Amino acid sequence: MAATRSSEFGDLVQIKKQLISITAQCKERGLVHSVKWASELAFSLDPLPLNEIPPAPELTEEDARDLDALCLAKSYFDLKEYDRAAYFLRGCRSQKAYFLYMYSRYLSGEKKKDDETVDSLGPLEKGQVRNEALRELRVELSKKHSAGELDGFALYLYGVVLRKLDLLKEAVEIFVAATHALPLHWGSWLELCNLITNIEMLKSLSLPECWVRDFFMAHMFTELQMIKEALQKYQSLMEAGFAKSTYIISQIAVAYHNIRDIDQALYLFNELREQDPFRIENMDTFSNLLYVRSMKPELSYLAHNLVEIDKYRVETCCVIGNYYSLRSQHEKAALYFQRALKLNPRCLGAWTLMGHEYMEMKNTSAAIQAYRHAIEVNKRDYRAWYGLGQTYEILKMPFYSLYYYRKAHQLRPNDSRMLVALGECYEKLSQQVEAKKCYWRAYSVGDVERMALLKLAKLHEQLNEFDDAAQCYIIYIQDIFSCGEQLEHAEVSTALRYLGQYYFKNKLYDEASLCAQRCCDYNDVSSSSAAHSQLRDANLSPFGKMLILSPKQVM
Amino acid sequence: MMTNGVVHANIFGIKDWVTPYKIAVLALLHEMSTTKPMALLDRRRLNKLILPLQQGPDLTLEQFLKIVEECCLRMVNAVKHRYASSLNKELFFKKNFILKTPEPLITFSLFLGLFMRQMLLAYNKLSFSQVYKLYKSLQQYCHRVQPELSALPTEDMELTSNEDPSAESDESQGPLSQKQAEYFLARQAYLLKNDENKAMSPAKLQDELNNILKFNPDFAEAHYLSYLNSIRVQDIYISTHSLLHYFDRLILSGGEGKSNGDEGYGRSLRYAVLNLATLHCRFGHYQQADLALQEAIRIAQEANDHVCLQHCLSWLYTLEQMKGSDSVVLTEDSVKIAAHFCLPYLASLGIQSLVQQGAKQGMPANKLLDALRGTDIMHWKQSLSELIEISLAQTTSIWRMYGKSTMARQQAQLLLNMNSLEPVNFSVQQNNTEAFAVALCHLAELHAEQGLYAVVSDIMKHLKQQFPPHTQHAKLWMLCDLKIQFEKAMNDGKYHLAEPHVTAISALNSTEGLYRKAQLLKALNQTTEASQILQQLQQQCEKSKDIEMTIRVMLASAELHWDSSGFATALPLLLQALALSRQHNLQSLTSETLLHLAFTQLMLGIPEQALVLVQDVLESVLAHGSLIDKGRALLLAARCQMALAGAAAQEHRLTALEQAVHTLDEAAVYFSQLDCKERMRDIHYLQARLHHTLGNISQRNKCSMLFRLLDQELPSSGMTVVSHL
């Protein structure tokens, strides 16, 4: 594998040439996003000497005939006059013109659809508004497809049409065909990425052997939450010579964000901003990280910066929302998240974040609505389920919230936070057995907040299971000290005090005294006074006890 | 529009809007009001047509015209013409003339007038591009079916032919407007409640609901119907999901309706938890239900919501009852508080529950019936038809328990023949409540007792149809059916047939199953096993305070004692049973116990006493008892008479014997009705002996021949004629 990759990536010059040519091709066809991706990648590679720059492709007879119409149409196309562009292209024969013809018809339909959504006849009809051009496009494209006349770009368009018509299975086939026909076109890969839902499906596809495939796989792993694999892939890509690519850096940063490696992610985002200071993409993720770390000045700087660049972007609104939220101005935060939703109603993160804001504002009903919307957009959004659970818990309905936490847990079986929340609910319902199970499981899957063991210990304490409680406290203390960093809510003193008492009761006076001494290091007044007295007891009693015991020992 | 900070999907608050189909309906209305001379019958048919047309989902023009054609042929062309003329562009844009029909025939303030006004309003609200869109869709609507209406080069016709069928079917199922969706939901919910068989099949209904939700995810009521629908098919997963989703949605809209937003919001929270509790109750998750209920109670207490608390309390005692623990105190409390807060429904529901428990625990009959009558008066005053039904079914059950079959039959018939007080919607009368099922089951059992098995099978057929096996109350008739079949098999002496029924009964009701098993084992002469089971049952019944079953178990144990000739040991048991049954007014069981006692006395050699006892109960047995009881009582009387005759003087002896023959004849009538061959054999044997003593040789020969025939047919049972009742 390594050998093949090095041979694949060995020729960076070749790759650069390919990128340059695909950029030109995409540009001619108005595929702006693919152009952006390819040129970003090309930019990260070393520039080519003059003699290496690939020449423009040869024009065919047909191309020459259509040249003027194409020029005219392209200019209309760029001015977003799609119908006009399509009209002038209708008689053209060349592949390029045909693609542009179909593509402008498609875009015209999309544009009309968007316009119509605003003044549809009624609210229920809103779901009904659709791109009327899709059907015709599909019929024509399928005819051409069965005749085998579609090139890579047209296949891509056919796939998009199918996807929009919800014919997902067919769409996957077509996109795979498109990647085979034109592996360098990133758009096809990206569309494919959105259609693949699990790893089995990914494995079952036969994809072309090309260096773009590695980018695709890495992207796919990130989407499927297989972060370790994704990072590995990206790492090898960087080693192969794409180290300067902002695309890869941002992807890695997002991946780190997903596994909550905040420091790494922050570092990468900062680097990204240095290299590409006017970038807006992914900045909402960056702001989330800053928010989690409560880095107010950085977040405010970011927000100012983004507003200057473009204030009408979803990402900008999210960043500002986060900024206000961090400053506890929740009304304003909610307002900005609403604005983000107006800009893009399918923006999932904003719904959830808005729910969080309403929670902060104690507007539970609005929070529930927001979370429900988030779930509607994406059923697998575990944060929204968790948020709903929290809302109901705040409303003092622990039984009710169980259902939501369970849902969240189902989606993230290895996330300790859901398990701890479940455990707390069970505890409130006096279902100690279930609560214990939850806490223990939370500890086993790697407790993020390091609260599970403490709670478990306290539960054991309540149930008079002293040995188990002591055991839990011991592991807890070990855990806290081994992780090194100081946690705010750490209750080491409680644990130590309990252990001290426990040892004292079991007549292990040395251990008891040790625990009590350690306990005194913490300046928690109530506990320290108790510890002091205990320490005194521990120091004194051995002798006293021994005196009493001695006759027996003699015997 | 924003409420509580959240964007609403229904921006204009329009519930209905103009569609091509609506315009077609308007055209029809217009024609109807303008065409003066019309046959009365046609007009009536059309009038009947309008409501479903207006409330139903959008149809294609073809379907619409076909429906109109079926009613009134003449109308079709007029409507078609008018409709086509609405296509005329100029007219359309000036102002669609169809939309204004201020005819005297249609009053603006009434239903149709309102509809027309709504349409006019919706039309006036449209912007230019929307009107244009409406016009386009109108054109399409016409051309899809009738290209001859206008000669447009049908480019898109080609396309549709090329389309895949999935897209086509999608097309025919257009979106419902909010009005239409509401109507649809109301109808289906009503049908689900009142006559499930007439509602859509669960799968289809779910499809419809999904369709509605696809176009309007904010339509919370659809989630509730989906909850009801998935309960129908016992799908806990979807039903929980839908229920929670509904309440999540409701929380916002609930706040709107009330003047005090916060209050409405908290209220729906409480009822959400309560509903969750009922859901778990329904699926038999008692622990979960208990937790949910506690939560509901806690929040209701915090909010000082007495009504909700009251509902919680009534659920609490129901839950306790379901779990099998004593809940009289809770129920009494519930009734008192409900009465205090003026919640008649809950109060009388509580009283009914109390009556049920009281009946089981042997409260005096007059008190129980008085309580029921008292609540009945209130039910009739307030037209609580559901409770009236329950009350009637309960009275049936109580009479049945007391062994008054005539009264029970009468009450059951009363319920079945009663016209519901509720308004009859969608031509469906409510008759699928538990009360109906209970009454029908009682009727079936009563008929089975009289040996009318053809009627029983008819009733069962009806029950099966009315309460399909997957529904909530199906278990009632299943158990009843099994019991009847078991009894029949036992009477016929076909024990191998009875055996599978025992297993089936135990699945539905474990106590009843055990009892039946003991009976079967006893009949098969496996006394040791039978007595073990009976002992086990005895303990169970003492724990659950099931008096009826206790007495039955005692009687069965006494019968076991007879088998081992321990007649004297059976006596205390029987006396205990007698005391219990008298105390609880269980007349049929009392007479049964007395018969048992009489038989024991006969066996112990005191036929005089036995005969007195039998004659005492004979009247009530003949009046209320089942056929087999009647036969058994007469047979016993005859045997007592025979025993007495043996001791009497010569001249009295003959008359006494003749009397015994006569009694046996009567008994034979009952047994032959039941086709109970074993008993018939016994009777023939006894009659032959009697005739022999009396010297009626021909009669004797006849009887002995009959006996011989039956004896050959039946497997020889170990028991002699003497050792059982």
Side-chain angles (χ1 to χ4, degrees):
Chain A
M1 189 73 195
T4 56
R5 186 178 295 125
S6 66
S7 68
E8 264 180 60
F9 289 106
D11 202 358
L12 281 178
V13 179
Q14 203 56 41
I15 289 176
K16 173 113 187 180
K17 275 187 194 165
Q18 287 176 352
L19 281 172
I20 289 173
S21 81
I22 195 74
T23 311
Q25 283 181 33
C26 288
K27 206 181 278 172
E28 282 176 335
R29 288 168 175 82
L31 295 163
V32 280
H33 286 283
S34 294
V35 172
K36 188 189 89 179
W37 184 81
S39 21
E40 266 180 3
L41 215 55
F43 180 76
S44 72
L45 298 175
D46 296 326
L48 293 178
L50 180 62
N51 56 353
E52 289 277 358
I53 287 177
E58 295 279 314
L59 288 179
T60 61
E61 186 103 346
E62 281 175 338
D63 286 337
R65 206 176 325 124
D66 294 343
L67 192 61
D68 298 325
L70 197 62
C71 259
L72 180 68
K74 184 68 182 29
S75 64
Y76 289 143
F77 181 91
D78 289 341
L79 290 166
K80 297 199 192 316
E81 295 185 65
Y82 301 118
D83 284 332
R84 209 169 166 193
Y87 176 78
F88 285 103
L89 280 169
R90 71 201 181 284
C92 292
R93 280 298 171 77
S94 68
Q95 291 280 6
K96 212 192 289 177
Y98 179 70
F99 175 80
L100 199 60
Y101 170 61
M102 296 305 263
Y103 191 46
S104 34
R105 278 173 65 190
Y106 166 74
L107 282 182
S108 135
E110 287 292 295
K111 186 166 170 260
K112 278 179 193 156
K113 186 183 95 178
D114 288 346
D115 292 346
E116 235 163 71
T117 317
V118 182
D119 56 12
S120 55
L121 285 178
L124 280 178
E125 217 188 20
K126 217 181 243 176
Q128 267 269 303
V129 176
R130 56 170 154 223
N131 189 340
E132 295 298 333
L134 284 177
R135 296 230 175 131
E136 297 169 30
L137 285 176
R138 185 188 158 212
V139 172
E140 286 174 39
L141 281 168
S142 74
K143 268 183 208 154
K144 282 243 180 191
H145 178 57
S146 43
E149 288 171 15
L150 295 182
D151 66 346
F153 288 110
L155 275 171
Y156 161 73
L157 182 62
Y158 184 33
V160 171
V161 169
L162 287 175
R163 185 174 69 79
K164 288 272 175 179
L165 286 169
D166 279 336
L167 300 165
L168 302 183
K169 232 170 88 188
E170 292 87 338
V172 170
E173 276 170 35
I174 298 296
F175 281 127
V176 170
T179 53
H180 276 283
L182 193 72
L184 292 172
H185 180 212
W186 181 240
S188 320
W189 293 99
L190 211 55
E191 287 288 345
L192 198 55
C193 190
N194 290 331
L195 292 174
I196 293 172
T197 48
N198 53 36
I199 185 75
E200 281 77 26
M201 192 172 166
L202 178 64
K203 277 178 185 158
S204 68
L205 296 177
S206 74
L207 298 168
E209 287 294 332
C210 172
W211 56 268
V212 187
R213 185 186 162 158
D214 286 289
F215 281 88
F216 167 72
M217 290 307 269
H219 189 99
M220 208 57 240
F221 285 140
T222 325
E223 289 286 305
L224 295 173
Q225 301 281 333
M226 298 162 67
I227 305 294
K228 228 166 83 188
E229 288 85 347
L231 284 175
Q232 228 170 1
K233 266 276 189 255
Y234 281 125
Q235 204 56 46
S236 64
L237 282 173
M238 294 207 11
E239 279 161 18
F242 293 102
K244 279 192 283 180
S245 160
T246 50
Y247 167 77
I248 291 184
I249 296 174
S250 69
Q251 285 290 324
I252 295 177
V254 170
Y256 276 125
H257 167 259
N258 284 353
I259 52 165
R260 247 186 298 286
D261 190 338
I262 298 171
D263 293 320
Q264 278 285 349
L266 278 177
Y267 168 75
L268 283 171
F269 270 119
N270 280 323
E271 197 177 326
L272 189 63
R273 272 182 67 71
E274 240 166 64
Q275 285 187 22
D276 188 2
F278 291 93
R279 186 187 176 95
I280 291 187
E281 276 166 87
N282 305 112
M283 282 306 129
D284 48 340
T285 320
F286 183 36
S287 75
N288 284 350
L289 290 166
L290 293 173
Y291 180 88
V292 171
R293 274 289 148 91
S294 315
M295 294 159 89
K296 259 190 212 173
E298 285 86 347
L299 188 54
S300 112
Y301 177 71
L302 179 69
H304 287 217
N305 209 327
L306 287 184
V307 168
E308 239 172 46
I309 301 167
D310 185 354
K311 57 180 175 177
Y312 296 117
R313 282 283 288 265
V314 179
E315 288 90 343
T316 313
C317 292
C318 283
V319 171
I320 299 171
N322 273 335
Y323 164 73
Y324 276 125
S325 178
L326 193 59
R327 292 178 49 115
S328 310
Q329 291 178 310
H330 299 293
E331 288 88 353
K332 282 196 173 173
L335 201 72
Y336 272 94
F337 289 129
Q338 272 177 14
R339 183 182 282 186
L341 284 172
K342 262 184 204 150
L343 289 169
N344 180 7
R346 296 193 63 77
C347 174
L348 166 75
W351 277 119
T352 319
L353 289 172
M354 196 156 84
H356 292 332
E357 292 316 311
Y358 282 125
M359 279 275 283
E360 294 285 342
M361 283 148 66
K362 302 274 180 294
N363 186 351
T364 39
S365 60
I368 289 170
Q369 294 303 303
Y371 287 134
R372 266 290 171 196
H373 275 294
I375 290 169
E376 224 144 68
V377 178
N378 180 6
K379 261 188 207 160
R380 301 184 55 79
D381 182 20
Y382 68 95
R383 282 166 306 171
W385 286 112
Y386 184 74
L388 273 175
Q390 270 184 322
T391 318
Y392 281 111
E393 212 182 331
I394 284 178
L395 291 166
K396 293 187 200 151
M397 295 160 75
F399 181 79
Y400 209 74
S401 57
L402 268 183
Y403 175 82
Y404 298 103
Y405 282 140
R406 258 189 231 132
K407 274 267 177 197
H409 172 59
Q410 242 171 34
L411 294 170
R412 300 263 300 191
N414 287 330
D415 195 324
S416 66
R417 289 171 300 172
M418 282 74 181
L419 281 162
V420 172
L422 268 175
E424 280 172 355
C425 282
Y426 277 124
E427 214 180 321
K428 277 181 197 154
L429 294 168
S430 347
Q431 307 268 302
Q432 274 94 358
V433 185
E434 281 85 355
K436 271 194 275 188
K437 276 184 207 159
C438 287
Y439 289 142
W440 184 249
R441 176 95 190 123
Y443 168 69
S444 319
V445 297
D447 191 4
V448 190
E449 289 160 326
R450 302 192 187 284
M451 286 297 285
L453 269 177
L454 192 68
K455 285 183 186 294
L456 184 59
K458 283 183 177 162
L459 202 57
H460 280 306
E461 213 181 312
Q462 273 174 26
L463 294 172
N464 294 335
E465 295 164 346
F466 301 114
D467 295 336
D468 291 327
Q471 204 61 38
C472 288
Y473 277 128
I474 290 170
I475 308 175
Y476 174 67
I477 291 169
Q478 281 168 355
D479 219 35
I480 291 284
F481 283 114
S482 68
C483 86
E485 56 184 309
Q486 196 63 44
L487 290 163
E488 277 173 29
H489 55 72
E491 292 191 56
V492 182
S493 59
T494 325
L496 281 170
R497 193 164 54 135
Y498 181 81
L499 276 178
Q501 278 161 356
Y502 172 74
Y503 285 132
F504 185 74
K505 236 179 268 169
N506 286 333
K507 308 194 176 87
L508 297 161
Y509 299 111
D510 290 343
E511 283 88 343
S513 124
L514 183 72
C515 286
Q517 264 165 2
R518 292 288 292 272
C519 188
C520 291
D521 296 344
Y522 293 89
N523 46 1
D524 185 356
V525 183
S526 65
S527 76
S528 68
S529 69
H532 276 304
S533 65
Q534 197 193 329
L535 193 56
R536 215 165 37 238
D537 287 350
N539 285 334
L540 287 175
S541 47
F543 303 105
K545 287 264 167 86
M546 231 191 284
L547 284 176
I548 300 162
L549 285 173
S550 54
K552 270 189 187 170
Q553 278 169 347
V554 173
M555 283 171 79
Chain B
M1 186 188 281
M2 311 258 284
T3 315
N4 218 349
V6 174
V7 190
H8 257 235
N10 191 346
I11 297 167
F12 306 109
I14 301 174
K15 285 193 160 184
D16 224 344
W17 68 88
V18 192
T19 61
Y21 168 74
K22 293 274 165 60
I23 293 180
V25 177
L26 287 174
L28 175 68
L29 277 177
H30 193 261
E31 276 310 315
M32 274 174 66
S33 54
T34 44
T35 358
K36 288 283 181 312
M38 200 197 293
L40 190 65
L41 215 62
D42 279 353
R43 183 173 287 282
R44 194 175 291 162
R45 272 203 302 252
L46 280 173
N47 285 346
K48 270 171 91 176
L49 190 65
I50 283 188
L51 196 62
L53 276 182
Q54 191 241 315
Q55 290 179 326
D58 283 12
L59 304 169
T60 62
L61 188 59
E62 202 175 24
Q63 289 167 324
F64 172 74
L65 289 177
K66 208 175 142 204
I67 289 174
V68 176
E69 197 174 338
E70 275 163 18
C71 280
C72 180
L73 203 62
R74 262 189 327 140
M75 201 52 120
V76 181
N77 281 324
V79 171
K80 221 189 262 179
H81 175 73
R82 184 161 287 273
Y83 197 71
S85 66
S86 79
L87 269 179
N88 185 323
K89 223 171 196 166
E90 257 170 68
L91 262 180
F92 189 87
F93 277 110
K94 261 185 205 160
K95 190 160 222 180
N96 197 322
F97 65 102
I98 283 179
L99 286 167
K100 38 174 190 176
T101 40
E103 289 294 323
L105 230 114
I106 294 170
T107 330
F108 258 180
S109 57
L110 289 184
F111 185 76
L112 286 177
L114 267 180
F115 170 62
M116 293 177 85
R117 260 161 58 179
Q118 260 171 6
M119 284 296 113
L120 193 61
L121 205 65
Y123 178 76
N124 284 341
K125 270 192 180 177
L126 297 183
S127 68
F128 180 81
S129 61
Q130 282 170 328
V131 173
Y132 177 70
K133 206 179 155 217
L134 178 65
Y135 174 68
K136 285 286 277 187
S137 54
L138 197 63
Q139 239 176 6
Q140 264 180 3
Y141 188 69
C142 285
H143 298 322
R144 197 175 297 154
V145 234
Q146 299 200 314
E148 85 264 28
L149 268 180
S150 151
L152 190 105
T154 48
E155 219 172 305
D156 46 357
M157 289 300 284
E158 264 171 58
L159 278 166
T160 41
S161 64
N162 228 334
E163 258 160 28
D164 55 324
S166 69
E168 196 65 51
S169 66
D170 198 45
E171 190 74 13
S172 65
Q173 193 64 61
L176 298 167
S177 78
Q178 194 156 340
K179 263 271 158 63
Q180 286 166 331
E182 273 170 13
Y183 177 75
F184 172 79
L185 290 188
R187 182 188 164 86
Q188 290 299 328
Y190 182 86
L191 288 177
L192 276 192
K193 181 167 170 264
N194 292 321
D195 195 349
E196 214 185 292
N197 299 323
K198 289 212 176 71
M200 276 182 170
S201 74
K204 205 167 163 224
L205 182 55
Q206 198 64 43
D207 279 350
E208 284 294 326
L209 290 173
N210 289 344
N211 196 31
I212 290 177
L213 285 172
K214 198 172 106 196
F215 292 122
N216 188 357
D218 293 325
F219 202 44
E221 287 79 2
H223 286 295
Y224 196 76
L225 196 61
S226 148
Y227 154 63
L228 293 178
N229 191 34
S230 39
I231 271 195
R232 255 166 107 191
V233 289
Q234 310 269 316
D235 184 342
I236 178 134
Y237 183 76
I238 295 181
S239 52
T240 322
H241 182 79
S242 301
L243 182 70
L244 296 188
H245 201 149
Y246 168 69
F247 277 107
D248 282 348
R249 292 276 177 202
L250 184 76
I251 279 165
L252 196 75
S253 50
E256 259 173 27
K258 303 275 162 196
S259 52
N260 185 352
D262 192 44
E263 180 53 35
Y265 160 52
R267 199 169 157 243
S268 63
L269 277 183
R270 294 190 282 280
Y271 284 98
V273 186
L274 188 57
N275 267 295
L276 195 61
T278 63
L279 175 82
H280 283 301
C281 236
R282 187 120 184 216
F283 282 99
H285 307 156
Y286 296 134
Q287 200 206 357
Q288 308 270 318
D290 200 31
L291 288 173
L293 205 53
Q294 276 171 19
E295 195 160 297
I297 291 172
R298 213 196 46 246
I299 327 179
Q301 261 170 351
E302 276 166 19
N304 240 347
D305 183 348
H306 293 290
V307 179
C308 181
L309 267 178
Q310 200 43 50
H311 281 282
C312 292
L313 188 55
S314 54
W315 268 104
L316 193 63
Y317 73 70
T318 316
L319 188 64
E320 290 293 318
Q321 259 175 25
M322 279 170 143
K323 282 201 266 183
S325 44
D326 186 27
S327 58
V328 178
V329 184
L330 271 177
T331 320
E332 275 172 359
D333 283 351
S334 164
V335 172
K336 276 180 210 153
I337 306 169
H340 180 251
F341 285 109
C342 295
L343 299 166
Y345 190 93
L346 285 180
S348 46
L349 211 56
I351 291 174
Q352 284 175 344
S353 168
L354 272 178
V355 166
Q356 196 180 341
Q357 290 170 40
K360 274 190 189 154
Q361 288 165 7
M363 288 249 289
N366 57 343
K367 272 194 182 172
L368 296 181
L369 291 174
D370 260 356
L372 279 182
R373 196 166 41 245
T375 47
D376 266 350
I377 292 170
M378 194 184 66
H379 298 157
W380 285 106
K381 266 186 195 159
Q382 313 217 2
S383 318
L384 298 167
S385 68
E386 233 170 288
L387 291 177
I388 295 170
E389 283 161 15
I390 296 176
S391 157
L392 278 171
Q394 213 169 28
T395 329
T396 314
S397 303
I398 289 177
W399 281 125
R400 184 91 206 292
M401 195 179 88
Y402 288 157
K404 308 279 188 198
S405 53
T406 323
M407 287 304 285
R409 244 195 314 271
Q410 183 229 352
Q411 293 287 329
Q413 293 290 359
L414 199 58
L415 171 60
L416 295 177
N417 287 317
M418 191 181 74
N419 284 326
S420 175
L421 292 178
E422 281 194 7
V424 178
N425 290 333
F426 312 116
S427 66
V428 172
Q429 200 177 6
Q430 177 165 33
N431 54 3
N432 71 338
T433 53
E434 193 178 2
F436 277 95
V438 169
L440 281 168
C441 283
H442 278 311
L443 266 190
E445 281 183 12
L446 286 168
H447 280 99
E449 278 178 4
Q450 301 307 322
L452 305 166
Y453 290 110
V455 182
V456 172
S457 78
D458 276 352
I459 295 178
M460 279 299 153
K461 217 165 90 189
H462 177 68
L463 273 168
K464 253 174 228 177
Q465 195 189 1
Q466 200 64 37
F467 303 90
H470 61 85
T471 52
Q472 199 187 358
H473 306 305
K475 279 184 185 159
L476 287 171
W477 62 256
M478 284 178 181
L479 185 60
C480 169
D481 190 23
L482 285 169
K483 273 197 222 166
I484 290 171
Q485 285 185 35
F486 177 83
E487 293 281 350
K488 194 163 178 248
M490 290 298 279
N491 284 343
D492 293 352
K494 292 172 183 160
Y495 303 127
H496 61 284
L497 283 181
E499 210 165 349
H501 295 319
V502 172
T503 334
I505 289 175
S506 332
L508 290 167
N509 184 342
S510 59
T511 323
E512 189 73 37
L514 266 181
Y515 173 65
R516 303 280 161 174
K517 195 172 176 189
Q519 276 194 323
L520 185 68
L521 287 173
K522 187 161 64 71
L524 292 170
N525 276 334
Q526 302 182 1
T527 33
T528 332
E529 290 90 338
S531 104
Q532 269 171 5
I533 291 178
L534 284 175
Q535 275 169 14
Q536 192 189 335
L537 255 178
Q538 183 90 30
Q539 283 166 358
Q540 267 188 25
C541 294
E542 269 163 26
K543 212 184 278 172
S544 64
K545 291 186 181 148
D546 188 346
I547 302 298
E548 260 186 291
M549 188 51 86
T550 315
I551 296 170
R552 282 213 204 116
V553 169
M554 282 173 173
L555 293 181
S557 315
E559 282 170 18
L560 274 182
H561 284 303
W562 296 345
D563 282 350
S564 51
S565 305
F567 294 106
T569 42
L571 269 179
L573 259 179
L574 287 174
L575 287 172
Q576 204 184 341
L578 184 62
L580 265 178
S581 58
R582 283 230 166 107
Q583 187 191 335
H584 287 87
N585 305 316
L586 307 173
Q587 204 197 356
S588 66
L589 281 175
T590 313
S591 24
E592 177 120 8
T593 317
L594 281 172
L595 285 181
H596 275 71
L597 262 178
F599 180 75
T600 318
Q601 284 173 340
L602 179 68
M603 286 296 123
L604 287 171
I606 30 175
E608 307 87 358
Q609 285 295 325
L611 190 59
V612 172
L613 268 182
V614 172
Q615 273 165 350
D616 271 355
V617 291
L618 203 54
E619 194 182 343
S620 77
V621 169
L622 288 180
H624 297 292
S626 61
L627 273 185
I628 187 125
D629 283 338
K630 290 180 196 171
R632 277 157 65 189
L634 285 170
L635 179 57
L636 184 59
R639 285 168 68 180
C640 290
Q641 284 165 344
M642 278 169 69
L644 277 175
Q650 190 62 38
E651 64 270 32
H652 293 298
R653 198 172 163 195
L654 280 179
T655 45
L657 284 179
E658 263 164 24
Q659 218 176 352
V661 172
H662 185 65
T663 322
L664 279 176
D665 275 341
E666 274 183 58
V669 172
Y670 292 124
F671 285 132
S672 62
Q673 267 179 24
L674 267 179
D675 199 21
C676 186
K677 285 178 183 146
E678 242 173 291
R679 307 266 180 187
M680 286 304 287
R681 183 178 61 176
D682 295 350
I683 284 179
H684 290 315
Y685 170 73
L686 289 175
Q687 275 183 331
R689 292 289 303 269
L690 284 174
H691 285 305
H692 179 72
T693 328
L694 287 169
N696 302 335
I697 306 297
S698 62
Q699 299 267 14
R700 181 200 68 185
N701 289 351
K702 196 180 134 206
C703 284
S704 40
M705 186 195 68
L706 285 171
F707 169 73
R708 175 110 180 94
L709 279 176
L710 280 174
D711 199 40
Q712 274 174 338
E713 194 182 321
L714 292 169
S716 61
S717 67
M719 269 180 269
T720 49
V721 70
V722 286
S723 71
H724 69 109
L725 180 63

